[in-house]
Amino acid sequence: MQTLQARGYRVTRPRRMVLQSLEEAARPVSPHEIQSALSSKGGYLDRVTIYRVLDLFCRLNLAHRLPSSGGFVKCSLGEKGGCHRFVVCRQCGAFQEFADEALCREESKLATGLDFHAERHFSETSGICSSCYELRQKALLSAEGQV
Amino acid sequence: MQTLQARGYRVTRPRRMVLQSLEEAARPVSPHEIQSALSSKGGYLDRVTIYRVLDLFCRLNLAHRLPSSGGFVKCSLGEKGGCHRFVVCRQCGAFQEFADEALCREESKLATGLDFHAERHFSETSGICSSCYELRQKALLSAEGQV
DNA sequence: AAGATAAATGCAACATTGTTGCATTTTGGG
DNA sequence: CCCAAAATGCAACAATGTTGCATTTATCTT
Ligand SMILES: [Mn+2]
Ligand SMILES: [Mn+2]
Ligand SMILES: [Zn+2]
Ligand SMILES: [Zn+2]
Protein backbone atom coordinates (compact mmCIF):
# COMPACT_ATOMS: atom_id res chain seq x y z
CA MET A 1 0.00 0.00 0.00
CA GLN A 2 2.95 2.33 0.59
CA THR A 3 3.51 2.18 -3.16
CA LEU A 4 0.16 3.89 -3.64
CA GLN A 5 0.92 6.61 -1.11
CA ALA A 6 4.39 7.18 -2.51
CA ARG A 7 3.05 7.64 -5.99
CA GLY A 8 0.34 10.05 -4.99
CA TYR A 9 -2.62 7.67 -4.98
CA ARG A 10 -4.98 7.37 -2.07
CA VAL A 11 -5.30 4.32 0.11
CA THR A 12 -8.96 3.39 0.04
CA ARG A 13 -11.25 0.64 1.19
CA PRO A 14 -11.76 -0.84 -2.29
CA ARG A 15 -8.05 -0.83 -3.03
CA ARG A 16 -7.29 -2.59 0.22
CA MET A 17 -10.01 -5.14 -0.41
CA VAL A 18 -8.90 -5.97 -3.96
CA LEU A 19 -5.26 -6.21 -2.92
CA GLN A 20 -6.16 -8.62 -0.16
CA SER A 21 -8.21 -10.73 -2.56
CA LEU A 22 -5.22 -10.98 -4.87
CA GLU A 23 -2.95 -11.91 -1.97
CA GLU A 24 -5.27 -14.66 -0.79
CA ALA A 25 -5.75 -16.17 -4.22
CA ALA A 26 -3.68 -19.23 -5.08
CA ARG A 27 -4.32 -18.73 -8.77
CA PRO A 28 -5.08 -15.93 -11.20
CA VAL A 29 -8.52 -14.49 -10.47
CA SER A 30 -11.09 -12.76 -12.63
CA PRO A 31 -12.78 -9.50 -11.65
CA HIS A 32 -15.99 -11.44 -11.11
CA GLU A 33 -14.25 -13.93 -8.83
CA ILE A 34 -12.86 -11.06 -6.81
CA GLN A 35 -16.32 -9.59 -6.44
CA SER A 36 -17.81 -12.94 -5.43
CA ALA A 37 -15.06 -13.67 -2.95
CA LEU A 38 -15.52 -10.29 -1.32
CA SER A 39 -19.29 -10.48 -1.16
CA SER A 40 -19.13 -13.93 0.40
CA LYS A 41 -17.17 -12.25 3.20
CA GLY A 42 -19.85 -9.61 3.60
CA GLY A 43 -18.11 -6.91 1.59
CA TYR A 44 -19.43 -5.18 -1.48
CA LEU A 45 -17.65 -3.51 -4.36
CA ASP A 46 -19.12 -2.27 -7.58
CA ARG A 47 -17.86 -4.09 -10.65
CA VAL A 48 -16.67 -0.82 -12.17
CA THR A 49 -14.65 -0.06 -9.08
CA ILE A 50 -12.95 -3.42 -9.29
CA TYR A 51 -11.98 -2.77 -12.91
CA ARG A 52 -10.64 0.64 -12.00
CA VAL A 53 -8.62 -0.69 -9.10
CA LEU A 54 -7.17 -3.50 -11.21
CA ASP A 55 -6.34 -1.00 -13.94
CA LEU A 56 -4.44 1.12 -11.47
CA PHE A 57 -2.63 -1.83 -9.92
CA CYS A 58 -1.55 -2.99 -13.36
CA ARG A 59 -0.38 0.48 -14.36
CA LEU A 60 1.75 0.60 -11.18
CA ASN A 61 2.92 -2.99 -11.67
CA LEU A 62 1.43 -3.95 -8.34
CA ALA A 63 -0.54 -6.59 -10.22
CA HIS A 64 -0.49 -8.22 -13.65
CA ARG A 65 -3.04 -9.61 -15.97
CA LEU A 66 -2.12 -12.97 -17.45
CA PRO A 67 -2.27 -12.92 -21.25
CA SER A 68 -3.97 -16.22 -21.96
CA SER A 69 -6.61 -16.45 -19.22
CA GLY A 70 -7.12 -12.75 -18.50
CA GLY A 71 -6.90 -13.48 -14.78
CA PHE A 72 -5.13 -11.14 -12.38
CA VAL A 73 -2.33 -11.83 -9.92
CA LYS A 74 -0.44 -9.74 -7.41
CA CYS A 75 3.11 -8.94 -8.50
CA SER A 76 5.67 -10.85 -6.47
CA LEU A 77 8.84 -9.37 -7.97
CA GLY A 78 8.66 -5.69 -7.16
CA GLU A 79 11.22 -3.68 -9.15
CA LYS A 80 13.18 -6.65 -10.45
CA GLY A 81 14.60 -5.85 -13.88
CA GLY A 82 13.19 -7.18 -17.13
CA CYS A 83 9.55 -7.70 -17.90
CA HIS A 84 7.63 -9.88 -15.50
CA ARG A 85 6.69 -13.26 -16.94
CA PHE A 86 4.64 -16.21 -15.83
CA VAL A 87 4.51 -19.95 -15.93
CA VAL A 88 1.01 -21.30 -15.37
CA CYS A 89 -0.22 -24.84 -14.86
CA ARG A 90 -3.07 -25.52 -17.27
CA GLN A 91 -4.34 -28.22 -14.92
CA CYS A 92 -4.55 -26.58 -11.52
CA GLY A 93 -3.86 -22.91 -12.28
CA ALA A 94 -0.78 -22.74 -10.06
CA PHE A 95 1.62 -20.10 -11.30
CA GLN A 96 4.98 -18.49 -10.71
CA GLU A 97 6.29 -15.11 -11.71
CA PHE A 98 9.82 -14.58 -12.92
CA ALA A 99 11.96 -12.17 -14.90
CA ASP A 100 14.97 -12.61 -17.10
CA GLU A 101 16.73 -9.66 -18.62
CA ALA A 102 18.64 -11.71 -21.16
CA LEU A 103 15.36 -13.04 -22.52
CA CYS A 104 14.02 -9.50 -22.82
CA ARG A 105 17.11 -8.37 -24.68
CA GLU A 106 16.80 -11.30 -27.05
CA GLU A 107 13.14 -10.54 -27.76
CA SER A 108 13.87 -6.87 -28.29
CA LYS A 109 16.63 -7.74 -30.72
CA LEU A 110 14.26 -9.92 -32.72
CA ALA A 111 11.74 -7.07 -32.79
CA THR A 112 14.44 -4.72 -34.09
CA GLY A 113 15.11 -7.18 -36.89
CA LEU A 114 11.45 -6.76 -37.88
CA ASP A 115 11.70 -2.96 -37.83
CA PHE A 116 9.88 -2.51 -34.55
CA HIS A 117 11.03 -0.61 -31.51
CA ALA A 118 10.13 -2.91 -28.60
CA GLU A 119 8.70 -1.35 -25.48
CA ARG A 120 7.06 -4.13 -23.57
CA HIS A 121 6.93 -7.92 -23.56
CA PHE A 122 3.91 -10.00 -22.66
CA SER A 123 4.92 -13.53 -21.92
CA GLU A 124 3.31 -16.59 -20.45
CA THR A 125 4.44 -20.18 -20.51
CA SER A 126 1.60 -22.63 -20.17
CA GLY A 127 2.39 -26.14 -18.97
CA ILE A 128 2.10 -28.58 -16.12
CA CYS A 129 3.32 -27.98 -12.59
CA SER A 130 5.36 -30.64 -10.83
CA SER A 131 2.56 -31.76 -8.53
CA CYS A 132 0.09 -32.17 -11.40
CA TYR A 133 2.78 -33.98 -13.33
CA GLU A 134 3.27 -36.48 -10.52
CA LEU A 135 -0.46 -37.02 -10.14
CA ARG A 136 -0.66 -37.77 -13.84
CA GLN A 137 2.16 -40.29 -13.65
CA LYS A 138 0.44 -42.17 -10.84
CA ALA A 139 -2.84 -42.19 -12.78
CA LEU A 140 -1.11 -43.57 -15.85
CA LEU A 141 0.61 -46.31 -13.87
CA SER A 142 -2.58 -47.46 -12.18
CA ALA A 143 -4.39 -47.44 -15.54
CA GLU A 144 -1.69 -49.73 -16.93
CA GLY A 145 -2.17 -52.05 -14.00
CA GLN A 146 -5.84 -52.45 -14.87
CA VAL A 147 -5.34 -53.35 -18.55
CA MET B 1 -8.83 -24.34 -46.63
CA GLN B 2 -7.10 -27.58 -47.61
CA THR B 3 -5.89 -27.74 -44.03
CA LEU B 4 -9.49 -28.11 -42.92
CA GLN B 5 -10.22 -30.85 -45.42
CA ALA B 6 -7.02 -32.67 -44.60
CA ARG B 7 -7.80 -32.70 -40.91
CA GLY B 8 -11.35 -33.93 -41.34
CA TYR B 9 -13.17 -30.63 -40.94
CA ARG B 10 -15.75 -29.40 -43.44
CA VAL B 11 -15.30 -26.41 -45.66
CA THR B 12 -18.30 -24.22 -45.01
CA ARG B 13 -19.59 -20.79 -45.89
CA PRO B 14 -18.93 -19.30 -42.41
CA ARG B 15 -15.41 -20.69 -42.31
CA ARG B 16 -14.64 -19.25 -45.73
CA MET B 17 -16.07 -15.89 -44.73
CA VAL B 18 -14.14 -15.61 -41.46
CA LEU B 19 -10.91 -16.69 -43.12
CA GLN B 20 -11.32 -14.05 -45.79
CA SER B 21 -12.02 -11.40 -43.15
CA LEU B 22 -8.79 -12.31 -41.41
CA GLU B 23 -6.88 -12.19 -44.67
CA GLU B 24 -8.20 -8.76 -45.56
CA ALA B 25 -7.49 -7.26 -42.13
CA ALA B 26 -4.34 -5.20 -41.76
CA ARG B 27 -4.47 -5.52 -38.00
CA PRO B 28 -5.76 -7.92 -35.38
CA VAL B 29 -9.55 -7.99 -35.44
CA SER B 30 -12.14 -8.73 -32.80
CA PRO B 31 -15.06 -11.10 -33.34
CA HIS B 32 -17.37 -8.12 -33.39
CA GLU B 33 -15.28 -6.37 -36.05
CA ILE B 34 -15.41 -9.50 -38.16
CA GLN B 35 -19.18 -9.59 -37.87
CA SER B 36 -19.49 -5.91 -38.75
CA ALA B 37 -17.13 -6.16 -41.70
CA LEU B 38 -19.08 -9.10 -43.08
CA SER B 39 -22.50 -7.54 -42.59
CA SER B 40 -21.36 -4.34 -44.30
CA LYS B 41 -20.67 -6.52 -47.32
CA GLY B 42 -24.17 -8.00 -47.14
CA GLY B 43 -23.16 -11.21 -45.38
CA TYR B 44 -24.49 -12.42 -42.06
CA LEU B 45 -22.98 -14.70 -39.47
CA ASP B 46 -24.21 -15.40 -35.99
CA ARG B 47 -21.85 -14.23 -33.27
CA VAL B 48 -21.69 -17.74 -31.85
CA THR B 49 -20.67 -19.13 -35.20
CA ILE B 50 -17.83 -16.63 -35.42
CA TYR B 51 -16.55 -17.68 -32.00
CA ARG B 52 -16.74 -21.33 -32.98
CA VAL B 53 -14.91 -20.75 -36.24
CA LEU B 54 -12.19 -18.72 -34.52
CA ASP B 55 -11.86 -21.43 -31.87
CA LEU B 56 -11.33 -24.03 -34.54
CA PHE B 57 -8.87 -21.91 -36.49
CA CYS B 58 -6.85 -21.31 -33.34
CA ARG B 59 -6.85 -24.99 -32.43
CA LEU B 60 -5.54 -25.80 -35.91
CA ASN B 61 -3.07 -22.90 -35.79
CA LEU B 62 -4.67 -21.36 -38.86
CA ALA B 63 -5.16 -18.24 -36.76
CA HIS B 64 -3.94 -16.86 -33.46
CA ARG B 65 -5.34 -14.68 -30.77
CA LEU B 66 -3.03 -11.94 -29.60
CA PRO B 67 -2.58 -12.07 -25.83
CA SER B 68 -2.81 -8.39 -24.95
CA SER B 69 -5.58 -7.13 -27.22
CA GLY B 70 -7.53 -10.34 -27.71
CA GLY B 71 -7.69 -9.64 -31.45
CA PHE B 72 -7.33 -12.40 -34.02
CA VAL B 73 -4.95 -12.72 -36.96
CA LYS B 74 -4.43 -15.29 -39.67
CA CYS B 75 -1.28 -17.36 -39.18
CA SER B 76 1.40 -16.43 -41.69
CA LEU B 77 4.03 -19.00 -40.72
CA GLY B 78 2.40 -22.35 -41.34
CA GLU B 79 4.35 -25.20 -39.76
CA LYS B 80 7.46 -23.19 -38.92
CA GLY B 81 9.07 -24.54 -35.76
CA GLY B 82 8.82 -22.89 -32.38
CA CYS B 83 5.81 -21.10 -31.00
CA HIS B 84 4.43 -18.32 -33.11
CA ARG B 85 5.03 -14.86 -31.65
CA PHE B 86 4.05 -11.33 -32.48
CA VAL B 87 5.31 -7.80 -32.49
CA VAL B 88 2.49 -5.26 -32.47
CA CYS B 89 2.57 -1.50 -32.88
CA ARG B 90 0.63 0.09 -30.03
CA GLN B 91 0.04 3.15 -32.20
CA CYS B 92 -1.35 1.80 -35.48
CA GLY B 93 -1.91 -1.89 -34.75
CA ALA B 94 0.47 -3.09 -37.44
CA PHE B 95 1.92 -6.47 -36.55
CA GLN B 96 4.29 -9.17 -37.67
CA GLU B 97 4.44 -12.83 -36.79
CA PHE B 98 7.68 -14.63 -36.19
CA ALA B 99 9.10 -17.72 -34.54
CA ASP B 100 12.42 -18.46 -32.89
CA GLU B 101 13.22 -21.91 -31.61
CA ALA B 102 16.16 -20.78 -29.51
CA LEU B 103 13.87 -18.39 -27.64
CA CYS B 104 11.41 -21.21 -27.00
CA ARG B 105 14.16 -23.45 -25.67
CA GLU B 106 15.35 -20.68 -23.38
CA GLU B 107 11.84 -20.09 -22.03
CA SER B 108 11.27 -23.79 -21.52
CA LYS B 109 14.54 -24.05 -19.64
CA LEU B 110 13.52 -21.24 -17.33
CA ALA B 111 10.20 -22.98 -16.73
CA THR B 112 12.03 -26.18 -15.86
CA GLY B 113 14.01 -24.23 -13.28
CA LEU B 114 10.68 -23.33 -11.66
CA ASP B 115 9.53 -26.96 -11.63
CA PHE B 116 7.13 -26.61 -14.53
CA HIS B 117 6.96 -28.70 -17.65
CA ALA B 118 6.47 -26.13 -20.43
CA GLU B 119 4.04 -26.94 -23.20
CA ARG B 120 3.22 -23.69 -24.88
CA HIS B 121 4.48 -20.12 -24.98
CA PHE B 122 2.31 -17.06 -25.42
CA SER B 123 4.40 -14.12 -26.44
CA GLU B 124 3.77 -10.65 -27.72
CA THR B 125 6.11 -7.71 -27.97
CA SER B 126 4.36 -4.38 -27.90
CA GLY B 127 6.14 -1.38 -29.34
CA ILE B 128 6.27 1.11 -32.17
CA CYS B 129 6.58 0.22 -35.84
CA SER B 130 9.10 2.01 -38.01
CA SER B 131 6.55 4.14 -39.83
CA CYS B 132 4.93 5.34 -36.60
CA TYR B 133 8.39 5.97 -35.22
CA GLU B 134 9.26 8.22 -38.13
CA LEU B 135 5.98 10.10 -37.88
CA ARG B 136 6.70 10.75 -34.24
CA GLN B 137 10.19 12.07 -34.98
CA LYS B 138 8.80 14.53 -37.51
CA ALA B 139 6.15 15.71 -35.04
CA LEU B 140 8.77 16.25 -32.35
CA LEU B 141 11.03 18.24 -34.67
CA SER B 142 8.23 20.54 -35.82
CA ALA B 143 7.13 21.07 -32.21
CA GLU B 144 10.68 22.15 -31.35
CA GLY B 145 10.59 24.61 -34.22
CA GLN B 146 7.54 26.29 -32.76
CA VAL B 147 8.88 26.81 -29.25
C1' DA C 1 -27.74 -37.95 -58.89
C1' DA C 2 -30.02 -38.85 -54.76
C1' DG C 3 -30.13 -40.13 -50.10
C1' DA C 4 -28.31 -40.88 -45.51
C1' DT C 5 -25.88 -39.00 -41.68
C1' DA C 6 -22.77 -36.74 -39.04
C1' DA C 7 -21.23 -32.12 -38.65
C1' DA C 8 -22.04 -27.39 -38.45
C1' DT C 9 -25.04 -23.40 -38.15
C1' DG C 10 -28.65 -20.36 -36.23
C1' DC C 11 -31.29 -19.00 -32.53
C1' DA C 12 -32.42 -18.20 -27.73
C1' DA C 13 -31.01 -17.35 -23.32
C1' DC C 14 -27.65 -16.36 -20.20
C1' DA C 15 -23.21 -14.87 -17.78
C1' DT C 16 -19.01 -12.25 -17.75
C1' DT C 17 -16.13 -8.45 -19.33
C1' DG C 18 -15.47 -3.82 -20.12
C1' DT C 19 -16.58 1.43 -20.84
C1' DT C 20 -18.58 6.10 -20.01
C1' DG C 21 -20.94 9.97 -17.61
C1' DC C 22 -22.45 11.90 -13.59
C1' DA C 23 -23.98 12.47 -8.73
C1' DT C 24 -22.22 11.42 -4.15
C1' DT C 25 -18.88 10.09 -0.85
C1' DT C 26 -14.29 9.80 0.96
C1' DT C 27 -9.39 10.73 1.62
C1' DG C 28 -5.51 13.35 2.97
C1' DG C 29 -3.76 17.89 3.66
C1' DG C 30 -4.11 22.40 5.53
C1' DC D 1 -12.39 20.23 11.51
C1' DC D 2 -12.80 21.85 6.72
C1' DC D 3 -11.89 21.76 1.98
C1' DA D 4 -10.80 20.34 -2.70
C1' DA D 5 -9.44 16.80 -5.29
C1' DA D 6 -9.85 12.10 -5.88
C1' DA D 7 -12.30 7.97 -5.84
C1' DT D 8 -16.60 5.37 -5.52
C1' DG D 9 -21.34 3.97 -6.72
C1' DC D 10 -24.88 3.82 -9.90
C1' DA D 11 -27.02 3.71 -14.40
C1' DA D 12 -26.81 2.54 -18.96
C1' DC D 13 -24.64 0.52 -22.55
C1' DA D 14 -21.58 -2.43 -25.64
C1' DA D 15 -18.65 -6.46 -26.45
C1' DT D 16 -17.12 -11.09 -25.18
C1' DG D 17 -18.09 -15.65 -24.44
C1' DT D 18 -20.90 -20.12 -23.26
C1' DT D 19 -24.62 -23.68 -23.53
C1' DG D 20 -28.61 -26.37 -25.32
C1' DC D 21 -31.40 -27.49 -28.94
C1' DA D 22 -33.83 -27.37 -33.46
C1' DT D 23 -32.64 -26.93 -38.30
C1' DT D 24 -29.69 -26.91 -42.13
C1' DT D 25 -25.76 -28.40 -44.88
C1' DA D 26 -21.38 -30.74 -46.40
C1' DT D 27 -19.64 -34.91 -47.44
C1' DC D 28 -19.79 -39.90 -47.97
C1' DT D 29 -22.24 -43.89 -49.82
C1' DT D 30 -25.08 -45.92 -52.84
MN1 LIG E 1 5.52 -8.38 -11.46
MN1 LIG F 1 1.24 -18.84 -36.67
ZN1 LIG G 1 -0.82 -27.97 -11.58
ZN1 LIG H 1 2.60 1.77 -36.12
Side-chain angles (χ1 to χ4, degrees), chain B residues 68-114:
Chain B
S68 71
S69 68
F72 293 86
V73 301
K74 191 197 167 206
C75 175
S76 61
L77 298 184
E79 300 290 326
K80 189 167 198 290
C83 79
H84 293 190
R85 302 165 186 272
F86 295 89
V87 287
V88 184
C89 176
R90 67 163 161 79
Q91 191 75 45
C92 71
F95 68 95
Q96 268 192 263
E97 187 177 2
F98 68 101
D100 188 280
E101 297 199 54
L103 208 51
C104 285
R105 277 192 299 271
E106 198 54 38
E107 277 181 338
S108 294
K109 208 166 77 182
L110 286 163
T112 303
L114 298 168

Coordinates of all heavy atoms in Angstrom, one line a residue, chain B residues 68-114:
Chain B
S68 N -2.5 -9.6 -25.6 CA -2.8 -8.4 -25.0 C -4.1 -7.8 -25.4 O -5.0 -7.4 -24.6 CB -1.7 -7.4 -25.1 OG -1.6 -6.9 -26.4
S69 N -4.4 -7.8 -26.7 CA -5.6 -7.1 -27.2 C -6.7 -8.1 -27.4 O -7.9 -7.7 -27.4 CB -5.3 -6.5 -28.6 OG -5.1 -7.5 -29.6
G70 N -6.5 -9.4 -27.5 CA -7.5 -10.3 -27.7 C -8.0 -10.4 -29.2 O -8.9 -11.1 -29.5
G71 N -7.3 -9.6 -30.0 CA -7.7 -9.6 -31.4 C -7.1 -10.9 -32.1 O -6.2 -11.5 -31.6
F72 N -7.7 -11.2 -33.3 CA -7.3 -12.4 -34.0 C -6.6 -12.1 -35.3 O -6.9 -11.0 -36.0 CB -8.6 -13.3 -34.3 CG -9.2 -13.9 -33.1 CD1 -10.1 -13.1 -32.4 CD2 -8.8 -15.1 -32.7 CE1 -10.7 -13.7 -31.2 CE2 -9.4 -15.7 -31.5 CZ -10.4 -15.0 -30.8
V73 N -5.7 -12.9 -35.7 CA -4.9 -12.7 -37.0 C -4.8 -14.1 -37.6 O -4.8 -15.1 -37.0 CB -3.5 -12.1 -36.7 CG1 -3.6 -10.8 -36.1 CG2 -2.7 -13.1 -35.9
K74 N -4.7 -14.1 -38.9 CA -4.4 -15.3 -39.7 C -3.0 -15.7 -39.5 O -2.1 -14.8 -39.5 CB -4.7 -15.1 -41.1 CG -4.8 -16.3 -41.9 CD -4.7 -16.1 -43.4 CE -4.4 -17.4 -44.1 NZ -3.7 -17.2 -45.4
C75 N -2.7 -16.9 -39.3 CA -1.3 -17.4 -39.2 C -0.6 -17.2 -40.5 O -1.1 -17.5 -41.6 CB -1.2 -18.8 -38.7 SG 0.5 -19.5 -38.7
S76 N 0.6 -16.6 -40.5 CA 1.4 -16.4 -41.7 C 2.6 -17.3 -41.8 O 3.4 -17.2 -42.7 CB 1.8 -15.0 -41.8 OG 2.6 -14.6 -40.7
L77 N 2.8 -18.2 -40.8 CA 4.0 -19.0 -40.7 C 3.8 -20.5 -41.0 O 4.8 -21.2 -41.2 CB 4.7 -18.9 -39.3 CG 5.1 -17.5 -38.9 CD1 5.8 -17.6 -37.5 CD2 6.0 -16.8 -39.9
G78 N 2.6 -20.9 -41.1 CA 2.4 -22.4 -41.3 C 3.0 -23.2 -40.3 O 2.8 -23.0 -39.1
E79 N 3.8 -24.2 -40.7 CA 4.3 -25.2 -39.8 C 5.7 -24.8 -39.2 O 6.4 -25.7 -38.6 CB 4.5 -26.6 -40.4 CG 3.1 -27.1 -41.0 CD 2.2 -27.5 -39.8 OE1 2.7 -28.0 -38.8 OE2 1.0 -27.3 -40.0
K80 N 6.1 -23.6 -39.4 CA 7.5 -23.2 -38.9 C 7.6 -23.6 -37.4 O 6.7 -23.4 -36.6 CB 7.6 -21.7 -39.1 CG 9.0 -21.2 -38.8 CD 9.2 -19.7 -39.3 CE 10.6 -19.3 -39.5 NZ 11.4 -19.1 -38.3
G81 N 8.8 -24.0 -37.1 CA 9.1 -24.5 -35.8 C 9.1 -23.5 -34.7 O 9.4 -22.3 -35.0
G82 N 8.9 -23.8 -33.5 CA 8.8 -22.9 -32.4 C 7.5 -22.2 -32.3 O 6.7 -22.2 -33.3
C83 N 7.1 -21.7 -31.1 CA 5.8 -21.1 -31.0 C 5.8 -19.8 -31.8 O 6.8 -19.2 -32.1 CB 5.5 -20.8 -29.5 SG 6.3 -19.4 -28.9
H84 N 4.6 -19.5 -32.2 CA 4.4 -18.3 -33.1 C 4.2 -17.1 -32.3 O 3.3 -17.0 -31.4 CB 3.3 -18.6 -34.1 CG 3.6 -19.6 -35.1 ND1 2.8 -19.9 -36.2 CD2 4.7 -20.5 -35.1 CE1 3.4 -20.9 -36.9 NE2 4.5 -21.3 -36.2
R85 N 5.0 -16.1 -32.5 CA 5.0 -14.9 -31.6 C 4.7 -13.6 -32.5 O 4.7 -13.7 -33.7 CB 6.4 -14.7 -31.1 CG 6.9 -15.8 -30.2 CD 8.4 -15.7 -30.0 NE 8.9 -16.9 -29.3 CZ 9.0 -17.0 -28.0 NH1 8.6 -16.1 -27.2 NH2 9.4 -18.2 -27.5
F86 N 4.4 -12.5 -31.8 CA 4.0 -11.3 -32.5 C 4.7 -10.1 -31.9 O 5.0 -10.0 -30.7 CB 2.5 -11.1 -32.4 CG 1.8 -12.2 -33.1 CD1 1.4 -13.4 -32.4 CD2 1.5 -12.1 -34.4 CE1 0.7 -14.4 -33.1 CE2 0.8 -13.1 -35.1 CZ 0.4 -14.3 -34.4
V87 N 5.0 -9.2 -32.9 CA 5.3 -7.8 -32.5 C 4.1 -7.0 -33.0 O 3.6 -7.2 -34.1 CB 6.6 -7.3 -33.1 CG1 7.8 -7.9 -32.5 CG2 6.6 -7.5 -34.6
V88 N 3.7 -6.1 -32.1 CA 2.5 -5.3 -32.5 C 2.8 -3.8 -32.2 O 3.3 -3.5 -31.1 CB 1.3 -5.7 -31.7 CG1 0.0 -4.9 -32.1 CG2 1.0 -7.2 -31.8
C89 N 2.4 -2.9 -33.1 CA 2.6 -1.5 -32.9 C 1.4 -1.0 -32.0 O 0.2 -1.1 -32.4 CB 2.6 -0.7 -34.2 SG 2.7 1.0 -34.0
R90 N 1.7 -0.4 -30.9 CA 0.6 0.1 -30.0 C 0.0 1.3 -30.6 O -1.1 1.7 -30.1 CB 1.2 0.4 -28.6 CG 2.1 1.5 -28.5 CD 2.3 2.0 -27.1 NE 3.5 2.8 -26.9 CZ 3.6 4.1 -27.3 NH1 2.6 4.7 -27.8 NH2 4.7 4.7 -27.1
Q91 N 0.6 1.9 -31.6 CA 0.0 3.1 -32.2 C -1.0 2.8 -33.3 O -2.1 3.2 -33.3 CB 1.2 4.0 -32.8 CG 0.8 5.4 -33.2 CD 0.6 6.3 -32.1 OE1 1.5 6.3 -31.1 NE2 -0.4 7.0 -32.0
C92 N -0.5 2.0 -34.3 CA -1.4 1.8 -35.5 C -1.9 0.4 -35.6 O -2.7 0.1 -36.4 CB -0.6 2.1 -36.8 SG 0.7 1.0 -37.1
G93 N -1.4 -0.5 -34.7 CA -1.9 -1.9 -34.7 C -1.2 -2.8 -35.7 O -1.5 -4.0 -35.8
A94 N -0.3 -2.2 -36.5 CA 0.5 -3.1 -37.4 C 1.2 -4.2 -36.7 O 1.6 -4.0 -35.5 CB 1.5 -2.3 -38.2
F95 N 1.3 -5.4 -37.3 CA 1.9 -6.5 -36.6 C 2.7 -7.4 -37.5 O 2.5 -7.3 -38.7 CB 0.8 -7.3 -35.9 CG 0.0 -8.1 -36.8 CD1 0.3 -9.4 -37.2 CD2 -1.1 -7.4 -37.4 CE1 -0.5 -10.1 -38.1 CE2 -1.9 -8.1 -38.3 CZ -1.6 -9.4 -38.7
Q96 N 3.6 -8.1 -36.9 CA 4.3 -9.2 -37.7 C 4.4 -10.4 -36.8 O 4.6 -10.3 -35.6 CB 5.7 -8.7 -38.1 CG 5.6 -8.0 -39.4 CD 7.1 -7.8 -40.0 OE1 7.6 -6.7 -39.8 NE2 7.6 -8.8 -40.6
E97 N 4.3 -11.6 -37.5 CA 4.4 -12.8 -36.8 C 5.8 -13.4 -37.0 O 6.4 -13.2 -38.1 CB 3.4 -13.8 -37.3 CG 3.3 -15.1 -36.6 CD 2.2 -16.0 -37.1 OE1 1.5 -15.6 -38.1 OE2 2.0 -17.1 -36.6
F98 N 6.4 -14.0 -36.0 CA 7.7 -14.6 -36.2 C 7.8 -15.8 -35.2 O 7.0 -16.0 -34.4 CB 8.8 -13.6 -36.0 CG 9.0 -13.2 -34.5 CD1 9.9 -13.7 -33.7 CD2 8.1 -12.2 -34.0 CE1 10.1 -13.3 -32.4 CE2 8.3 -11.7 -32.7 CZ 9.2 -12.3 -31.9
A99 N 8.9 -16.6 -35.4 CA 9.1 -17.7 -34.5 C 10.6 -17.8 -34.3 O 11.4 -17.5 -35.2 CB 8.5 -19.0 -35.1
D100 N 11.0 -18.3 -33.2 CA 12.4 -18.5 -32.9 C 12.6 -19.6 -31.9 O 12.2 -19.5 -30.7 CB 13.0 -17.2 -32.3 CG 14.5 -17.2 -32.2 OD1 15.0 -17.8 -31.2 OD2 15.1 -16.6 -33.0
E101 N 13.1 -20.7 -32.4 CA 13.2 -21.9 -31.6 C 14.2 -21.7 -30.4 O 13.9 -22.3 -29.4 CB 13.7 -23.1 -32.5 CG 12.6 -23.4 -33.6 CD 12.8 -24.8 -34.1 OE1 12.8 -25.8 -33.3 OE2 12.9 -25.0 -35.4
A102 N 15.2 -21.0 -30.6 CA 16.2 -20.8 -29.5 C 15.5 -20.1 -28.3 O 15.7 -20.5 -27.2 CB 17.4 -19.9 -30.0
L103 N 14.6 -19.1 -28.7 CA 13.9 -18.4 -27.6 C 12.9 -19.3 -26.9 O 12.8 -19.3 -25.7 CB 13.1 -17.3 -28.3 CG 12.7 -16.0 -27.5 CD1 14.0 -15.5 -26.9 CD2 12.1 -15.0 -28.4
C104 N 12.3 -20.2 -27.6 CA 11.4 -21.2 -27.0 C 12.2 -22.1 -26.1 O 11.7 -22.4 -24.9 CB 10.7 -22.1 -28.1 SG 9.4 -21.2 -28.9
R105 N 13.3 -22.6 -26.5 CA 14.2 -23.5 -25.7 C 14.5 -22.7 -24.4 O 14.5 -23.3 -23.3 CB 15.4 -23.9 -26.4 CG 15.2 -25.1 -27.3 CD 16.5 -25.7 -27.8 NE 17.3 -24.7 -28.6 CZ 17.2 -24.5 -29.9 NH1 16.4 -25.3 -30.6 NH2 18.0 -23.7 -30.5
E106 N 14.9 -21.5 -24.5 CA 15.3 -20.7 -23.4 C 14.2 -20.5 -22.4 O 14.4 -20.7 -21.2 CB 15.8 -19.3 -23.9 CG 16.7 -18.6 -22.9 CD 17.9 -19.4 -22.4 OE1 18.5 -20.1 -23.2 OE2 18.1 -19.3 -21.2
E107 N 13.0 -20.2 -22.9 CA 11.8 -20.1 -22.0 C 11.5 -21.4 -21.3 O 11.1 -21.4 -20.2 CB 10.6 -19.6 -22.8 CG 10.6 -18.1 -23.0 CD 9.4 -17.6 -23.8 OE1 8.8 -18.5 -24.6 OE2 9.0 -16.5 -23.7
S108 N 11.6 -22.5 -22.1 CA 11.3 -23.8 -21.5 C 12.3 -24.1 -20.4 O 11.9 -24.7 -19.4 CB 11.3 -24.9 -22.6 OG 10.2 -24.6 -23.5
K109 N 13.5 -23.8 -20.6 CA 14.5 -24.1 -19.6 C 14.3 -23.3 -18.4 O 14.3 -23.8 -17.3 CB 15.9 -23.7 -20.2 CG 17.1 -24.5 -19.6 CD 18.3 -24.3 -20.4 CE 19.0 -22.9 -20.2 NZ 20.2 -22.8 -21.0
L110 N 13.8 -22.0 -18.5 CA 13.5 -21.2 -17.3 C 12.3 -21.8 -16.6 O 12.3 -21.9 -15.4 CB 13.2 -19.8 -17.7 CG 14.4 -19.0 -18.1 CD1 14.1 -17.7 -18.9 CD2 15.2 -18.6 -16.9
A111 N 11.4 -22.3 -17.4 CA 10.2 -23.0 -16.7 C 10.6 -24.2 -15.9 O 10.2 -24.4 -14.8 CB 9.2 -23.4 -17.8
T112 N 11.5 -25.0 -16.5 CA 12.0 -26.2 -15.9 C 12.7 -25.8 -14.5 O 12.5 -26.5 -13.5 CB 13.1 -26.9 -16.7 OG1 12.5 -27.2 -18.0 CG2 13.6 -28.2 -16.1
G113 N 13.4 -24.7 -14.5 CA 14.0 -24.2 -13.3 C 13.0 -23.9 -12.2 O 13.3 -23.9 -11.0
L114 N 11.7 -23.6 -12.6 CA 10.7 -23.3 -11.7 C 9.8 -24.5 -11.4 O 8.7 -24.4 -10.9 CB 9.8 -22.2 -12.2 CG 10.6 -20.8 -12.4 CD1 9.7 -19.8 -13.1 CD2 11.0 -20.3 -11.0

